[in-house]
């Protein structure tokens, strides 16, 4: 009798349920507890996340893990700029994350998640001071004990950015499997020059995004926000002929 090929083994119902649960319970947390995450846990997460597929195994990701004084130093530098309107105006994103022109249904989804979050926090329309304060929490990594900054070599093209997305998702799912939560953050892209200087990027390195990682605060009202997902018939076509 030949040995089973583990690649083709059907996972147990328990294993399937665990994977599905990690995916379903992943959502962006915006408040974290002051509880450290062991370096061994971070290494385990990144090691398994690196199994993400990439074209011809290029593995285009570079990860900068910040904790303690290094995390605070970067946050303080960004916040000093963020709270200075004149200085803030000199910092622009290096690449367009969002469309230049918004259309439905994308603009509708964007507005809904924004107002759902602000509603939970009792931030009313037009309250620019509270909006500024809440957005600024991005740059404190929402008080998470771990801040991740991701970069990519500038020679890599669009396909490698697709690969990078799968790597980021692997990190978030692996974190959930260990009882941790995350918040992927494109907000950092505006400060790419400052981040490159602080983290001593080589000239070939380009900022992709940031991510907060830690234990979510179960009592923070903003963490109760779970965004809606479109029904399958809105984005799926089944073709059998």
């Amino acid at each position: 009798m030949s040995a089973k090929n583990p690649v083709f083994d059907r996972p147990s119902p328990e294993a399937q349920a665990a994977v599905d649960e990690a995916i379903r319970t992943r959502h962006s947390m915006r408040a974290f507890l002051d509880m450290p995450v062991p370096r061994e846990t971070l290494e385990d997460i990144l090691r398994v996340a690196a199994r993400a597929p990439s074209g011809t195994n290029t593995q285009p990701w570079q990860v900068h893990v910040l904790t303690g004084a290094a995390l605070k130093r970067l946050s303080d530098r960004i916040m000093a700029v963020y709270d200075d309107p004149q200085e803030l105006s000199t910092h622009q994103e290096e690449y367009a994350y969002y469309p230049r022109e918004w259309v439905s249904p994308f603009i509708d989804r964007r507005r809904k998640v924004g107002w759902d979050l602000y509603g939970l926090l009792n931030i009313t329309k037009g309250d620019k001071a509270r909006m500024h304060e809440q957005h600024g929490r991005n740059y404190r990594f929402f008080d998470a004990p771990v801040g991740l900054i991701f970069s990519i070599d500038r020679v890599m093209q669009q396909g490698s950015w697709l690969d990078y997305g799968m790597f980021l998702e692997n990190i978030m799912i692996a974190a959930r499997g260990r009882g941790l939560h995350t918040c992927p953050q494109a907000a950092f892209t505006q400060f790419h020059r400052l981040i490159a200087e602080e983290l001593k990027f080589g000239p070939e390195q380009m900022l992709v995004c940031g991510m907060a990682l830690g234990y979510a605060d179960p009592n923070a009202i903003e963490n109760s926000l779970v965004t809606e997902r479109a029904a399958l018939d809105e984005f799926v076509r089944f073709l059998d002929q």
Side-chain angles (χ1 to χ4, degrees):
M1 181 180 294
S2 60
K4 287 185 177 180
N5 184 339
V7 175
F8 298 106
D9 279 352
R10 179 179 294 276
S12 68
E14 293 78 14
Q16 178 180 323
V19 173
D20 289 352
E21 181 70 4
I23 294 171
R24 276 195 298 264
T25 61
R26 184 226 62 81
H27 62 274
S28 295
M29 294 293 183
R30 295 178 176 85
F32 290 84
L33 298 174
D34 184 20
M35 290 176 56
V37 179
R39 176 166 175 166
E40 294 78 9
T41 301
L42 296 173
E43 290 178 349
D44 286 346
I45 289 170
L46 294 169
R47 190 176 293 112
V48 71
R51 295 306 308 174
S54 60
T56 62
N57 200 32
T58 49
Q59 304 175 61
W61 36 81
Q62 293 290 323
V63 188
H64 313 264
V65 183
L66 291 86
T67 59
L71 185 150
K72 185 177 186 303
R73 187 166 55 248
L74 177 64
S75 292
D76 287 347
R77 285 195 64 181
I78 294 176
M79 287 301 298
V81 174
Y82 179 71
D83 287 332
D84 182 338
Q86 184 173 354
E87 179 65 20
L88 180 62
S89 67
T90 68
H91 290 262
Q92 303 295 328
E93 294 86 352
E94 191 171 11
Y95 70 91
Y97 184 91
Y98 293 109
R100 300 300 188 190
E101 180 180 351
W102 286 94
V103 298
S104 291
F106 313 113
I107 185 61
D108 309 306
R109 294 169 181 165
R110 175 182 171 89
R111 285 171 175 162
K112 178 171 172 44
V113 71
W115 289 118
D116 284 352
L117 174 62
Y118 286 164
L120 288 171
L121 295 169
N122 293 317
I123 300 175
T124 58
K125 188 174 183 179
D127 190 344
K128 294 183 179 179
R130 292 280 315 280
M131 291 179 185
H132 178 84
E133 178 184 2
Q134 177 59 28
H135 185 72
R137 285 183 48 71
N138 273 284
Y139 308 120
R140 296 288 184 193
F141 294 92
F142 298 109
D143 299 322
V146 181
L148 304 175
I149 295 291
F150 302 95
S151 63
I152 190 170
D153 195 296
R154 294 179 183 277
V155 303
M156 308 309 280
Q157 295 296 317
Q158 189 171 7
S160 292
W161 286 69
L162 295 175
D163 299 339
Y164 218 121
M166 292 183 277
F167 172 68
L168 295 173
E169 177 72 1
N170 271 5
I171 291 175
M172 293 184 277
I173 298 307
R176 285 301 303 124
R178 291 161 174 80
L180 297 159
H181 272 286
T182 54
C183 184
Q185 298 166 277
F188 284 100
T189 60
Q190 182 174 6
F191 300 103
H192 63 93
R193 289 188 288 110
L194 186 157
I195 292 170
E197 178 183 328
E198 176 67 27
L199 302 187
K200 297 180 172 56
F201 283 10
E204 77 285 355
Q205 288 296 299
M206 179 179 182
L207 177 69
V208 175
C209 66
M211 184 184 293
L213 186 152
Y215 295 96
D217 183 349
N219 298 316
I221 187 66
E222 56 266 49
N223 286 344
S224 67
L225 176 63
V226 179
T227 53
E228 298 176 359
R229 290 295 185 266
L232 286 185
D233 60 9
E234 294 184 47
F235 66 94
V236 178
R237 295 174 63 211
F238 290 99
L239 300 98
D240 57 9
Q241 295 186 34

